[in-house]
Amino acid sequence: TQLLEQSPQFLSIQEGENLTVYCNSSSVFSSLQWYRQEPGEGPVLLVTVVTGGEVKKLKRLTFQFGDARKDSSLHITAAQPGDTGLYLCAGAPRGTYKYIFGTGTRLKVLA
Amino acid sequence: DAGVTQSPTHLIKTRGQQVTLRCSPKSGHDTVSWYQQALGQGPQFIFQYYEEEERQRGNFPDRFSGHQFPNYSSELNVNALLLGDSALYLCASSAVEGVRNEQYFGPGTRLTVT
C-alpha cells in the first residue's frame, strides 16, 4: 500500500511560534505537492517540489523535498491566525497516475 | 481565467438512487481527476480521465463511473447510493506536463445520502 504519512496530526500553537510538518513515504515520488484546505472547500495548491533536496520558500513557509524524494517538510515561521487550516501533502508515486494524499495536519494558530 | 468549476454545490439523495456530478477543468488543462473526501479525512482518489479514457482508478467499486467529454469536462456517476457515499466530492484538473502532477481543485459538491 502506498501511503503518505504526515505528522503531527494536530497542532495548536500560539501566534508567533514556529512549526514543522513532516510528510513521509516508502515510495519515491517524481514530485510532491503541498495544499491547504479550509472546511467545506477544495484544497488550494501551495507549492510543488520536484528535485531531491529542493527548498522552496513562500513568504513565511519553507518547503523541502528529501534527497531520495520519499519525504518532504513544511516549516512555518512566526505563525499567524490566518495560517490555520488543514495542510496536506500529496503526489503520485513514480510509475503511477494514482494521486494520493497524506493523512493531513490540522493546524490551529491562536491569537 | 476561470478555475475549476463543479456543479451542483450541494445535493441530497436517497439510498439506492443515482447521482451525476459535473466538472469543468481549468483553462488549458486536459486531465481531470475525481476524489471523495469524507468528513475529517483527506481526499481519496477515485479515478483520472485523460483523452476521454479512464487512465487510473483508485479503490472504488464499479458503482462509481465517469466520463470525459471532448472539451475535457467530466462527469462522475454514482449508482445505487449508500449512506457511506455521503461526502465532499472534489474534481481536480491538471495538464500533461512531465513530472509536475500539479492538481487544481474545484470547490466540491457536498453529497448527502439519506
Side-chain angles (χ1 to χ4, degrees):
Chain A
T1 304
Q2 296 159 331
L3 289 174
L4 276 170
E5 300 205 11
Q6 285 184 238
S7 62
Q9 190 176 357
F10 298 97
L11 198 52
S12 181
I13 60 172
Q14 294 293 323
E15 182 177 4
E17 292 185 8
N18 302 332
L19 66 117
T20 301
V21 176
Y22 299 93
C23 174
N24 295 292
S25 177
S26 57
S27 300
V28 176
F29 289 79
S30 54
S31 67
L32 272 181
Q33 283 74 44
W34 283 91
Y35 297 85
R36 190 172 89 184
Q37 186 177 24
E38 303 293 340
E41 299 179 9
V44 175
L45 178 67
L46 295 175
V47 79
T48 291
V49 286
V50 178
T51 306
E54 181 178 9
V55 176
K56 279 194 172 179
K57 292 192 174 184
L58 184 66
K59 296 183 181 177
R60 293 175 294 100
L61 278 60
T62 301
F63 304 85
Q64 185 162 7
F65 203 11
D67 291 341
R69 293 186 291 149
K70 293 183 179 181
D71 58 270
S72 182
S73 63
L74 158 61
H75 182 78
I76 301 179
T77 303
Q80 299 178 0
D83 296 327
T84 293
L86 177 66
Y87 288 82
L88 296 158
C89 62
R94 194 172 55 185
T96 174
Y97 296 110
K98 184 177 179 181
Y99 199 74
I100 59 174
F101 277 83
T103 45
T105 295
R106 197 165 296 279
L107 171 66
K108 187 169 185 178
V109 182
L110 305 170
Chain B
D1 175 25
V4 179
T5 60
Q6 291 185 244
S7 63
T9 305
H10 296 87
L11 204 52
I12 300 175
K13 290 286 189 178
T14 305
R15 274 180 302 177
Q17 286 188 318
Q18 178 263 344
V19 68
T20 297
L21 310 182
R22 295 176 175 82
C23 171
S24 290
K26 182 178 168 67
S27 177
H29 285 183
D30 53 11
T31 304
V32 173
S33 303
W34 287 92
Y35 299 82
Q36 180 194 67
Q37 186 174 25
L39 204 61
Q41 298 183 18
Q44 298 293 314
F45 178 83
I46 302 176
F47 41 54
Q48 183 180 88
Y49 276 83
Y50 173 65
E51 292 188 337
E52 302 179 49
E53 297 282 337
E54 182 183 293
R55 180 160 73 171
Q56 183 86 55
R57 188 176 184 93
N59 300 326
F60 280 81
D62 291 344
R63 298 187 297 109
F64 290 77
S65 63
H67 189 78
Q68 185 180 34
F69 300 93
N71 67 352
Y72 307 120
S73 66
S74 177
E75 289 181 349
L76 164 66
N77 301 292
V78 187
N79 295 322
L81 285 167
L82 304 173
L83 294 179
D85 294 332
S86 294
L88 181 67
Y89 287 85
L90 295 163
C91 167
S93 72
S94 56
V96 174
E97 192 182 336
V99 299
R100 293 185 69 83
N101 290 320
E102 290 181 338
Q103 308 262 318
Y104 290 82
F105 284 82
T109 294
R110 171 69 63 187
L111 172 64
T112 302
V113 182
T114 62

